[in-house]
Amino acid sequence: HIVEPNLELLTKNTNSKIVLVTGAGGSIGSELTRQIIKLNPKKILLVDVSEFALYQIERELKTEYHEEKSDIKIVPALGSVLDKSLLKSFVATFGVQTLFHAAAYKHVPIVEYNVVAGIRNNVFGTLNVAEIANECCIENCILISTDKAVRPTNVMGASKRIAELIFQAME
């Protein structure tokens, strides 16, 4: 069944905050940014490894939310969760308070054919994000997972389950 978002919690973690979203150009990340921007963050950093996806979501948000009439600063940041030093510099430079980690390879058949890439991105990319959140004392770091992580039957689900375990271990 569908679980509605807890608006009070979301607002608390985004309103007037500096928010970073990994995988901001992807299907889940882009929808997340559309929802976050409605909650009036101070600044939103859109991080994605795909220049085209990043360009698309940045243009959409700036057009939809009329950046010139809004106090919300939208910052496109081209980079991968596998580049820990670059991610850490984004966090430090912008003073990130809330981080939503949506970057992941999620398409089961593609990850099954590309096991090493799937594990590198979903496991080691998540480990980088969790370590940075811990090292930089980010107030809120939220992992976006999947139902495929519950009793996983494929590499993608297993990699996302490991990602959940990484986040739980960092608490």
Side-chain angles (χ1 to χ4, degrees), residues 103-104 122 143-146 149 155-164:
N122 295 358
L143 171 68
I144 307 302
S145 194
T146 172
V155 173
M156 192 283 289
S159 69
K160 290 299 285 179
R161 179 64 185 136
I162 294 168
E164 290 178 352

Side-chain angles (χ1 to χ4, degrees), residues 23 49 61 71 113 123 157 164:
V49 72
L61 294 176
D71 291 336
Y113 282 112
V123 174
E164 290 178 352

